[in-house]
Amino acid sequence: MKKIYLLLSAALLLNIGAFGQNVNALFNKISNDVMNKYAPDERDKTYDVSLIEKDGKLILVGSTTEKEAVEALVSRLADAGITAQNRIDLLPSNSLKGKTYGIVCMSTASFNCDGRFSGESGTQALMGMPVRILEENDDDWYRCINMEGYTAWVITRSVKAMTKAEYEEYLAKPKVFVNKKYSTLYSEKNVSSLPVSDLVWGCILIDEGRQGVWRKVSVADGRTGYVPEEDVIDLHKWMDNAVPTEKNIVETAKQFCGFPYVWGGTSIKGVDCSGLTKSAYFLNGYVLRRDASQQCKTGDSVDVHKFVEGTYTKAALANLRPGDLLFFGRKAENGRKERVTHVAIYMGDGKIIHSSNIVRINSLIPGEKDYYAGAKRLLKARRIIGTADQGKGVVSVKNAGLTK
């Protein structure tokens, strides 16, 4: 949630000309207008700006990715009779000294919305995933943009920060992809040795060469160890073999059955609803947007209007194919906007697989076993398969910046 903090001394809480409003209220109104125009969704763009008073002067502080937002804010404040020094940090921050690229170094790194451990979970990223670093706060958290374009905060120890040259050098190194649900990076070539890190399905490591039944690998942060050879595959080979067919998407999603719903989860350790869809597609070669409300704007539309309007039959779902994404929520009515709150993967024959309390299979058809109580909240459907790299919000792993 965006927070606009205003710290003004009582002496500055004065009415401004004909506006009849104090500086506090006027700044909030102008700043919110600017935010809504230039950075309406904090998952995509950053706008975190405040007005403070120091030594009798007003100062604009905070950060944003949007240069035009800063220019608009300063101009509108001046027009309203408020003169303030501009100390807004335009991101990526110069304080990073060029280290604006990063690689995730934990098996699953948690990204929060507020840059603190008590903040709301936003998403996860797997070991080896690239990020763009925007800034660092005083509590040692990086604000980053991850591979699917989602902006959130991650503790600095979870990311290896790099310059552009270091990042390109890293990308050029040979990599392996973890193709087992769980594995372990050991310090020695035996399972009794001290673990270096846990590994999960989808992690990417630097390949240091095969050594018998082991593969020597290293993490971007410099840690080195050994992983069973059978648990990894050459990254380029995986990319070539990762094909999001209808069968592959459904079968991959089924591997998560019975696993817990975890808010913000996007790994085999636990997933939320869009985390399941994102993971099922990533493991088959597609990078999706993070949240259901973002995914519903990607791919191609599939007509399910008969079901949405009350014909709850399999025939009303005839346009769907396995692997299509179904979106549920609140319809637009009585002046309220549509609100997407849930996503599922269509399996065929009126059935879906989704993360709801746990990952499970349900039917959309009333009267059938395992009927999903939320079926009548279906809003729309999108086809993802076959839409990568076409400007439709879906990117193939080959174009996602995982390697050169």
Side-chain angles (χ1 to χ4, degrees):
M1 181 180 295
K2 286 187 168 62
K3 297 181 177 68
I4 305 295
Y5 296 100
L6 183 64
L7 304 174
L8 290 173
S9 66
L12 287 168
L13 298 179
L14 304 174
N15 289 342
I16 304 296
F19 287 95
Q21 301 179 50
N22 59 38
V23 172
N24 185 348
L26 189 55
F27 169 76
N28 281 336
K29 180 182 185 306
I30 293 173
S31 186
N32 282 328
D33 287 346
V34 169
M35 178 182 67
N36 290 331
K37 180 176 180 179
Y38 294 99
D41 191 335
E42 65 180 342
R43 297 170 299 183
D44 297 323
K45 298 177 180 179
T46 296
Y47 180 89
D48 190 2
V49 176
S50 305
L51 183 67
I52 66 171
E53 181 271 332
K54 185 176 182 181
D55 299 328
K57 296 179 180 180
L58 292 175
I59 305 172
L60 289 168
V61 297
S63 59
T64 181
T65 52
E66 309 307 303
K67 182 179 179 181
E68 290 182 342
V70 177
E71 295 170 348
L73 178 64
V74 171
S75 175
R76 288 195 55 185
L77 288 175
D79 290 344
I82 300 175
T83 301
Q85 294 181 8
N86 177 18
R87 296 184 187 174
I88 299 170
D89 196 2
L90 189 61
L91 305 179
S93 175
N94 288 330
S95 65
L96 296 171
K97 298 180 180 179
K99 292 202 170 187
T100 59
Y101 295 80
I103 299 295
V104 174
C105 298
M106 302 297 171
S107 63
T108 54
S110 294
F111 287 68
N112 289 353
C113 298
D114 299 323
R116 53 197 170 91
F117 282 110
S118 59
E120 178 187 0
S121 294
T123 189
Q124 292 176 334
L126 304 182
M127 181 180 287
M129 301 302 167
V131 298
R132 288 297 308 276
I133 303 173
L134 297 175
E135 62 180 322
E136 181 179 357
N137 69 13
D138 293 336
D139 295 321
D140 297 323
W141 288 72
Y142 287 136
R143 194 199 297 262
C144 297
I145 304 174
N146 68 11
M147 188 171 63
E148 59 263 18
Y150 192 99
T151 302
W153 293 87
V154 62
I155 192 72
T156 55
R157 72 174 67 97
S158 294
V159 172
K160 173 62 177 177
M162 302 175 178
T163 63
K164 185 177 182 180
E166 291 169 336
Y167 178 70
E168 290 179 347
E169 181 181 353
Y170 167 84
L171 290 182
K173 295 179 180 179
K175 310 288 193 314
V176 292
F177 179 91
V178 176
N179 62 353
K180 293 292 180 66
K181 289 181 180 177
Y182 307 102
S183 186
T184 302
L185 178 60
Y186 294 99
S187 55
E188 305 291 342
K189 289 182 283 187
N190 67 77
V191 296
S192 299
S193 64
L194 194 67
V196 175
S197 176
D198 70 312
L199 302 171
V200 298
W201 198 4
C203 287
I204 297 172
L205 301 107
I206 301 168
D207 186 7
E208 303 283 359
R210 183 178 299 174
Q211 297 189 8
V213 297
W214 294 88
R215 185 74 69 102
K216 185 178 182 180
V217 297
S218 59
V219 185
D221 61 10
R223 289 178 293 162
T224 299
Y226 301 87
V227 63
E229 171 69 22
E230 64 181 5
D231 290 358
V232 296
I233 183 174
D234 176 81
L235 178 60
H236 285 286
K237 184 176 180 180
W238 169 73
M239 287 182 175
D240 291 338
N241 293 338
V243 181
T245 64
E246 296 175 2
K247 180 180 178 181
N248 287 349
I249 295 300
V250 171
E251 290 302 314
T252 298
K254 286 165 66 176
Q255 295 301 306
F256 289 76
C257 273
F259 284 56
Y261 179 99
V262 174
W263 181 265
T266 65
S267 77
I268 198 69
K269 292 181 178 181
V271 290
D272 57 22
C273 64
S274 55
L276 173 66
T277 57
K278 190 179 88 69
S279 295
Y281 269 93
F282 171 70
L283 294 170
N284 286 286
Y286 277 9
V287 177
L288 303 188
R289 298 302 305 274
R290 172 59 183 96
D291 292 338
S293 60
Q294 297 172 309
Q295 293 176 2
C296 73
K297 300 173 184 177
T298 65
D300 291 325
S301 178
V302 182
D303 184 5
V304 289
H305 80 275
K306 290 182 179 179
F307 194 96
V308 172
E309 293 172 2
T311 304
Y312 304 122
T313 64
K314 292 180 183 179
L317 301 172
N319 292 326
L320 292 172
R321 298 294 307 167
D324 289 344
L325 300 186
L326 301 183
F327 298 92
F328 304 82
R330 185 187 69 199
K331 296 179 181 179
E333 56 186 4
N334 299 325
R336 297 189 305 179
K337 294 181 179 180
E338 176 185 272
R339 184 167 179 240
V340 172
T341 59
H342 189 59
V343 59
I345 298 173
Y346 191 64
M347 300 177 68
D349 196 35
K351 298 186 184 302
I352 58 171
I353 182 168
H354 60 147
S355 184
S356 178
N357 296 320
I358 61 172
V359 178
R360 55 196 172 105
I361 295 172
N362 284 115
S363 173
L364 296 176
I365 310 304
E368 288 201 352
K369 182 182 178 181
D370 296 324
Y371 172 64
Y372 173 48
K376 295 180 181 180
R377 295 188 296 113
L378 180 65
L379 298 173
K380 63 185 69 176
R382 308 291 294 188
R383 181 154 299 149
I384 304 300
I385 295 173
T387 67
D389 305 326
Q390 297 178 17
K392 298 180 179 180
V394 182
V395 179
S396 70
V397 292
K398 292 182 179 180
N399 291 312
L402 294 175
T403 186
K404 277 193 171 181

